[in-house]
Amino acid sequence: CFVSSSSQISICRDLPNIEVITFSVNGIWDLEPLRQCQNLSELYLRKNNIASLNELFYLKNLPRLRVLWLSENPCCGSDPHRYRMTVLRNLPSLQKLDNQAVTEEELSQALVDGEEITAPPARRSVENGCPEPTGSSAAESTTETASELLNLSLEETNKIREELGMKPVPRDKFSSFSPRETDCNRKNRNNVLNAILLLVKELDAEGLEMVQQTVGRRLQAFRKKELQEE
């Protein structure tokens, strides 16, 4: 189980050069690990458990962030204008927020109507180590399959990129995290697997050979154990 939700995206600390991240429908509520991603230009956080707009504190120093999808999170609240103005006041470099282009007029208005975020959010404790999802995010994450989520995330990502005059992301180069599951152990396994697959892309030939040797030894050990159990 997890010590905190940051373990779901802690891999981002080791991927400073990553440019596009999709965390849609994942039960994410902590954005602190993203502060390391200085090359991040697109971030998709639709339908998560982000409770406070103070989480934007961790995104304020990302110089290349141009696209943010934050809708359908608790932090959006009941006042769409205040929510949008606060996001734009703190992230004035955005070109698109929630699939809607940002205008110069909005950026000027945000200085008046938006709230300046100067400190990170206060953290709530998680006694059981595996925080429960809340609201519609929980229902969505248990009904949408991993394949459906990947297709949806890729579709929404490329739709925005097309509107900004950017090339679409090929499916074989697109990484998305698996949906939140009720079984904490299974979720942990999926996150470890995703982390490994993402890090593999960062390795050179020598690094890949080391991974191959390590995986080979592990497989031999598992097979030996299975034979002994039989």
Side-chain angles (χ1 to χ4, degrees), residues 16-71:
N17 295 322
I18 195 166
E19 298 179 5
V20 180
I21 298 178
T22 293
F23 284 131
S24 297
V25 197
N26 262 278
I28 300 296
W29 53 269
D30 176 12
L31 302 184
E32 187 276 334
L34 298 177
R35 69 193 307 174
Q36 307 293 336
C37 303
Q38 291 296 299
N39 287 330
L40 187 64
S41 62
E42 301 174 39
L43 178 60
Y44 302 89
L45 296 167
R46 182 182 58 87
K47 292 186 181 179
N48 277 288
N49 292 334
I50 302 170
S52 171
L53 285 177
N54 280 47
E55 294 290 339
L56 296 175
F57 177 82
Y58 300 119
L59 307 181
K60 293 182 68 171
N61 293 321
L62 300 182
R64 301 184 179 181
L65 187 61
R66 297 294 181 267
V67 176
L68 175 64
W69 198 319
L70 193 60
S71 64

Side-chain angles (χ1 to χ4, degrees), residues 66-71 83-85 87-88 94-102:
R66 297 294 181 267
V67 176
L68 175 64
W69 198 319
L70 193 60
S71 64
Y83 152 71
R84 189 172 177 88
M85 292 295 99
V87 174
L88 294 182
L94 287 181
Q95 296 177 359
K96 205 152 199 179
L97 173 61
D98 298 337
N99 202 30
Q100 182 178 342
V102 176

Side-chain angles (χ1 to χ4, degrees), residues 136-149:
S136 61
S137 178
E140 291 288 343
S141 63
T142 57
T143 57
E144 296 184 70
T145 66
S147 177
E148 289 170 341
L149 285 173

